[in-house]
Amino acid sequence: METLANLESFIRSAECGSFSAAARRLGVTPAAISRNVAMLERNLGIRLFQRSSRSLALTEDGERFLGSVTDGVESIQSAIAGVTTHAGKPAGVLKVSMALTFGLDHVLPLLPAFMARYPDVQLDWSFENRQVDLISEGFDAAIGGGMELATGVIARRLAPLHVIAVASPGYLQDRQPPRQPHELATLDGISMRSAHTGRVRVWRMRNREGAETTLEHKARMVANDPEAICRAALMGLGVAMIAVPYVERHLESGALQRLLPDWHADLGAISLYFASQKLLPAKTRAFVDHVTAAFREQNLARRFSAEG
């Protein structure tokens, strides 16, 4: 009878298209994945993959076998995850991705309570401003905004992702504050370069009454990182369009001032992304529940809203 490790190595290799990607997802070495698949092929007496130095493709036998075993293995994993959760013992390495500043300011402070409650969970966190592929890169969860949902990934909304216009008191000292979005064209702009297109971001703003307009923003400086844009605004280099979570503390301290308080750009939501609930390991379920409860208790959805 085949072991669960052999079967899971085969299924994840087929999903990811390589032994290396499957290894990252399962937290083992590529050699272990290759060995498990080879053992499975030997025991079945069939070749499951066509291998080359650059690709891994299922054979016809592999396609048929994958269709036969996937549901069964996933049901076993779901049962194991459910038992572990009900036993109150989430364990293992929890790999999570999020943007640096947002993670440091709003998620990292949640860890002491989480680690105290789940001492058998080991944290492996990546702080980076990019959209990760949860499945192929082996992440258990990611926190961010506007990520495309891949097959098998779902999103739990945490808070709105609203972008507002801000500037430092020093920059505004000898200037007339704008009363309408088109008046921003007369001020120095600190603009965002899109990570997807490489182009300067064009903002579509709307007000409380639902009116919309495209922002005319003179780009005096362009950057691809929200924290860099925030710091440039703090230095008095111009007006920045930036998401509320990045500037909340600076607005409270008075280091930055909000312009056009009735207007904002809506980029959707800050969400917590993770694999399908059916297959959710206990460690991931515990993390999802902990973060969503903390956001609710701290009322972050209201704090991050530009309409509050």
Side-chain angles (χ1 to χ4, degrees):
M1 183 176 180
E2 288 306 325
T3 67
L4 184 60
N6 289 355
L7 293 171
E8 188 171 27
S9 294
F10 163 66
I11 292 171
R12 303 314 165 204
S13 296
E15 290 176 344
C16 298
S18 77
F19 291 152
S20 296
R24 289 193 297 270
R25 182 175 177 185
L26 296 175
V28 299
T29 66
I33 296 293
S34 179
R35 184 172 57 251
N36 289 345
V37 172
M39 183 180 299
L40 178 61
E41 288 179 321
R42 184 169 61 251
N43 293 344
L44 294 175
I46 59 174
R47 180 171 291 278
L48 299 170
F49 290 109
Q50 294 289 357
R51 300 165 173 82
S52 72
S53 59
R54 295 185 178 181
S55 65
L56 186 70
L58 286 166
T59 63
E60 289 186 10
D61 287 334
E63 291 276 7
R64 285 194 295 270
F65 186 66
L66 179 65
S68 300
V69 301
T70 299
D71 288 344
V73 171
E74 292 182 350
S75 295
I76 293 172
Q77 291 172 323
S78 182
I80 292 172
V83 169
T84 307
T85 299
H86 292 307
K89 297 180 180 179
V93 177
L94 181 69
K95 189 175 179 182
V96 183
S97 171
M98 69 197 72
L100 176 60
T101 301
F102 181 84
L104 294 179
D105 288 348
H106 302 294
V107 186
L108 200 62
L110 308 180
L111 288 190
F114 179 81
M115 296 177 71
R117 185 174 182 182
Y118 304 110
D120 294 327
V121 176
Q122 178 184 345
L123 303 178
D124 181 357
W125 281 22
S126 295
F127 295 92
E128 49 195 343
N129 290 318
R130 72 179 182 91
Q131 178 174 330
V132 299
D133 186 328
L134 267 70
I135 304 301
S136 66
E137 296 183 58
F139 283 96
D140 296 294
I143 300 176
M147 291 178 60
E148 295 182 6
L149 286 182
T151 302
V153 175
I154 60 176
R156 179 172 293 181
R157 181 186 175 95
L158 296 175
L161 184 55
H162 289 168
V163 175
I164 58 176
V166 299
S168 71
Y171 179 79
L172 296 171
Q173 185 172 4
D174 298 321
R175 293 175 171 86
Q176 182 70 29
R179 292 172 295 179
Q180 295 296 328
H182 72 268
E183 295 177 5
L184 289 178
T186 65
L187 303 176
D188 299 308
I190 308 170
S191 299
M192 169 73 77
R193 186 179 300 281
S194 171
H196 300 294
T197 66
R199 299 176 181 174
V200 175
R201 192 77 181 251
V202 176
W203 300 104
R204 186 72 177 170
M205 300 188 74
R206 71 182 187 191
N207 65 10
R208 299 175 190 273
E209 285 72 41
E212 295 189 358
T213 184
T214 299
L215 175 63
E216 297 291 339
H217 204 202
K218 181 177 64 177
R220 183 72 184 275
M221 173 184 174
V222 178
N224 66 348
D225 180 84
E227 180 61 20
I229 292 174
C230 183
R231 295 198 182 193
L234 289 167
M235 294 168 61
L237 300 185
V239 177
M241 289 290 294
I242 194 161
V244 175
Y246 285 90
V247 296
E248 181 193 30
R249 67 186 187 279
H250 303 305
L251 294 173
E252 292 177 352
S253 70
L256 291 175
Q257 295 180 11
R258 181 177 178 183
L259 308 179
L260 304 171
D262 291 334
W263 293 83
H264 70 276
D266 189 349
L267 297 187
I270 300 167
S271 298
L272 179 52
Y273 300 86
F274 50 95
S276 169
Q277 291 276 8
K278 179 181 177 181
L279 302 176
L280 205 59
K283 61 182 180 180
T284 311
R285 188 182 302 276
F287 178 72
V288 169
D289 291 344
H290 184 79
V291 170
T292 52
F295 267 64
R296 184 172 58 252
E297 292 165 3
Q298 296 178 25
N299 206 13
L300 291 183
R302 183 190 62 79
R303 285 169 48 188
F304 293 167
S305 174
E307 300 173 336

